[in-house]
């Protein structure tokens, strides 16, 4: 009995390969739906870049504020029950989006449902990550971290690549973008219904998975965790780095899909959904993944401090690719694919340093909660600039907008110069 209480492995003998791939594939799909699929859907159905950027940026909000209700997931029910319940809720939300596509108030109704889906997904992230730590012994957690990351990336390829390409095929076959996207979201609803049922039977039952009641007074300890974060040495510089490091990239990210889809007379490249799914959602994501893997290897070998400046340069310099594309407007799909690969590889490689910085900041007694707070500030630093990006693009045009994006990376270099990093941090 003692062994069952001390080690989740004893309480949960089920092979982790049976559930970790599906759990983290399921974690990724709703996020990439909110970040990319929604953009493509609204672009296909005739909405302006300004409206698309402003309103879809609000879908980021649940990930910004999720640390505020993370303790609720701990205090009520089991992580296992939360996972299954929330996957069911996400399935229902996807089905409702499919239903809204032919409503007169499609834009407003679908956004409302997508926001509820995003809230469910952000809460699912909390429960899934907590379940992962409860269901696996520490050695297994380390062994399977690459597996969970890989299947999360596969969700990225599925969301930004396969489903976007499939939507293009369906639009050509049906001649109706609304119907095509209804089919896409009905398919997603079916996938999540299957995932919920599958996990109901397959997820293990860790002995330690239950409501967590703090002996020190739940509310007091909860607020003390936040206070300890904001008392960290150099917190103002830390927050400045978290909020400003991605200032340029956040705006770029929101306008990539509209730029790829808009015709040349509007300053875009005139690709269809299938081509976008290939060059951005597949080639780009593969390059992103390779860059991320290489970034991890470099930091583990040389440490974060030595890698920080080179990675700050390599994540931002490839933004110039979009200045070239918006000036030359190439129609060669191979040229565009190579450009996407270069930009995404740099993004993946450089972003590793940002992730490691958050891990360094979170290190300490409350590392899980403090890391969640860091990710909340990261999401806030993405959401706010993205809300204005569509208006800026419509005002400046694509070429001048991408030049502005490059200028907006300057605060990132200023904050990189100001932060303090332990020379030994990150090295094996």
């Amino acid at each position: 009995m003692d062994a069952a209480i001390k080690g989740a492995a004893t309480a949960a003998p089920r092979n982790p390969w049976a559930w970790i791939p599906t759990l983290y594939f399921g974690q990724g799909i709703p996020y990439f739906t909110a970040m990319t699929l929604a953009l493509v859907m609204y672009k296909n159905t005739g909405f302006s870049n300004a409206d698309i950027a402003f309103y879809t940026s609000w879908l980021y909000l649940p990930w910004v504020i999720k640390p505020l209700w993370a303790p609720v997931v701990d205090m009520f029910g089991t992580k296992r029950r939360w996972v299954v319940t929330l996957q069911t809720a996400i399935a229902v939300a996807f089905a409702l989006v499919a239903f809204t596509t032919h409503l007169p108030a499609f834009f407003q109704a679908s956004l409302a449902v997508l926001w509820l889906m995003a809230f469910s997904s952000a809460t699912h992230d909390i429960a899934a990550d907590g379940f992962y730590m409860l269901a696996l012994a520490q050695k297994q957690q380390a062994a399977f971290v690459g597996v969970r990351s890989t299947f999360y990336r596969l969700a990225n390829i599925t969301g930004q690549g396969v489903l976007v390409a499939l939507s293009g095929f369906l639009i050509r076959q049906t001649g109706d973008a609304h119907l095509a996207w209804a089919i896409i979201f009905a398919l997603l609803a079916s996938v999540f219904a299957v995932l919920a049922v599958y996990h109901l039977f397959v997820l293990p039952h860790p002995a330690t998975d239950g409501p967590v009641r703090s002996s020190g007074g739940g509310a007091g300890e909860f607020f003390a965790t936040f206070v300890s974060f904001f008392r960290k040495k150099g917190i103002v510089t830390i927050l400045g780095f978290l909020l400003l490091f991605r200032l340029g990239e956040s705006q770029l990210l929101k306008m990539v899909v509209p730029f790829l889809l808009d015709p040349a007379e509007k300053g875009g490249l005139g690709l269809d959904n299938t081509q976008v799914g290939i060059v951005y959602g597949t080639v780009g994501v593969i390059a992103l993944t390779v860059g991320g893997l290489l970034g991890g290897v470099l930091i583990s070998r040389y440490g974060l401090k030595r890698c920080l400046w080179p990675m700050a340069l390599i994540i931002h310099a490839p933004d110039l690719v979009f200045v070239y594309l918006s000036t030359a407007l190439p129609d060669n799909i191979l040229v565009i694919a190579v450009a996407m690969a270069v930009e995404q590889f740099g993004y993946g490689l450089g972003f590793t340093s940002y992730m490691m910085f958050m891990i360094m900041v979170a290190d300490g007694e409350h590392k899980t909660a403090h890391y969640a707070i860091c990710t909340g500030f990261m999401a806030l630093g993405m959401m706010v600039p993205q809300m204005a990006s569509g208006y800026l693009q419509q005002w400046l045009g694509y070429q001048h907008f991408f030049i502005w994006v490059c200028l907006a990376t300057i605060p990132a270099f200023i904050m990189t110069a100001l932060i303090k990093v332990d020379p030994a941090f990150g090295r094996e």
Side-chain angles (χ1 to χ4, degrees):
M1 181 62 71
D2 289 340
I5 294 173
K6 290 172 66 177
T10 303
R14 193 181 299 277
N15 190 332
W17 280 101
W19 58 272
I20 291 176
T22 52
L23 182 65
Y24 281 92
F25 182 82
Q27 186 180 99
I29 287 292
Y31 179 81
F32 296 113
T33 297
M35 297 303 109
T36 301
L37 281 185
L39 287 176
V40 182
M41 178 175 69
Y42 292 133
K43 190 68 180 174
N44 290 163
T45 48
F47 296 95
S48 71
N49 287 358
D51 285 343
I52 292 171
F54 180 79
Y55 290 106
T56 61
S57 293
W58 282 103
L59 298 177
Y60 232 134
L61 186 60
W63 283 281
V64 173
I65 60 177
K66 72 178 183 181
L68 298 179
W69 68 83
V72 174
V73 177
D74 268 342
M75 293 167 63
F76 300 98
T78 65
K79 306 296 187 298
R80 187 184 194 279
R81 184 178 299 169
W82 277 101
V83 166
V84 174
T85 301
L86 289 164
Q87 287 180 352
T88 304
I90 292 168
V92 172
F94 281 145
L96 288 174
V97 173
F99 177 76
T100 66
T101 57
H102 282 86
L103 293 179
F106 156 61
F107 190 57
Q108 296 88 335
S110 58
L111 274 172
V113 176
L114 283 171
W115 198 91
L116 293 173
M117 183 277 297
F119 179 84
S120 299
S121 176
T123 310
H124 177 271
D125 291 357
I126 299 167
D129 290 340
F131 184 83
Y132 178 86
M133 290 184 282
L134 290 173
L136 298 177
Q138 190 174 70
K139 184 177 180 180
Q140 288 179 303
Q141 291 176 34
F144 279 90
V145 69
V147 176
R148 56 182 275 185
S149 176
T150 298
F151 279 87
Y152 189 85
R153 289 297 182 195
L154 285 176
N156 190 346
I157 293 173
T158 302
Q160 293 187 182
V162 176
L163 292 178
V164 172
L166 178 59
S167 70
F169 171 78
L170 292 171
I171 290 171
R172 290 194 300 272
Q173 293 298 308
T174 64
D176 183 349
H178 290 269
L179 176 59
W181 282 103
I183 295 171
I184 293 293
F185 276 93
L187 176 62
L188 284 170
S190 301
V191 168
F192 265 81
V194 171
L195 282 177
V197 172
Y198 177 76
H199 288 144
L200 177 64
F201 291 100
V202 170
L203 289 182
H205 294 265
T208 52
D209 188 12
V212 178
R213 298 286 190 264
S214 172
S215 59
E221 186 172 325
F222 173 60
F223 287 113
T225 301
F226 278 86
V227 169
S228 66
F229 178 83
F230 290 102
R231 284 181 174 172
K232 286 181 180 288
K233 186 177 180 180
I235 187 61
V236 174
T237 307
I238 289 169
L239 294 180
F241 183 85
L242 293 176
L243 291 169
L244 296 176
F245 188 77
R246 303 178 74 187
L247 179 63
E249 180 248 323
S250 63
Q251 298 172 76
L252 173 70
L253 189 62
K254 188 61 77 172
M255 285 295 107
V256 169
V257 168
F259 170 63
L260 295 176
L261 290 172
D262 266 335
E265 56 266 26
K266 291 186 177 180
L269 296 184
L271 304 185
D272 61 26
N273 286 19
T274 301
Q275 292 171 318
V276 171
I278 293 170
V279 302
Y280 183 56
T282 305
V283 173
V285 171
I286 291 171
L288 174 76
T289 304
V290 173
L293 292 172
L294 178 59
V297 171
L298 291 174
I299 289 177
S300 68
R301 182 169 182 176
Y302 298 108
L304 176 60
K305 187 175 180 66
R306 287 184 64 184
C307 291
L308 187 60
W309 270 104
M311 288 187 176
L313 288 168
I314 203 167
I315 192 174
H316 296 304
D319 292 351
L320 291 167
V321 161
F322 286 95
V323 176
Y324 160 74
L325 290 175
S326 60
T327 303
L329 297 180
D331 56 9
N332 186 317
I333 195 71
L334 180 59
V335 171
I336 297 170
V338 170
M340 291 294 103
V342 168
E343 192 274 333
Q344 289 289 283
F345 175 81
Y347 173 35
L349 178 57
F351 185 64
T352 312
S353 63
Y354 186 88
M355 297 295 289
M356 286 302 297
F357 178 77
M358 290 196 295
I359 291 172
M360 184 190 76
V361 170
D363 194 33
E365 183 183 1
H366 302 287
K367 63 177 64 180
T368 301
H370 286 182
Y371 186 79
I373 295 170
C374 286
T375 62
F377 277 103
M378 175 185 71
L380 180 64
M382 294 289 287
M383 185 184 85
V384 175
Q386 285 183 345
M387 293 174 72
S389 61
Y391 293 99
L392 281 171
Q393 183 279 315
Q394 289 188 176
W395 178 43
L396 296 172
Y398 281 115
Q399 184 185 38
H400 292 120
F401 172 77
F402 290 130
I403 292 172
W404 156 251
V405 163
C406 293
L407 294 175
T409 65
I410 293 173
F413 296 110
I414 294 173
M415 299 314 303
T416 299
L418 293 175
I419 60 172
K420 307 295 183 184
V421 177
D422 180 354
F425 183 78
R427 284 190 295 187
E428 291 179 342

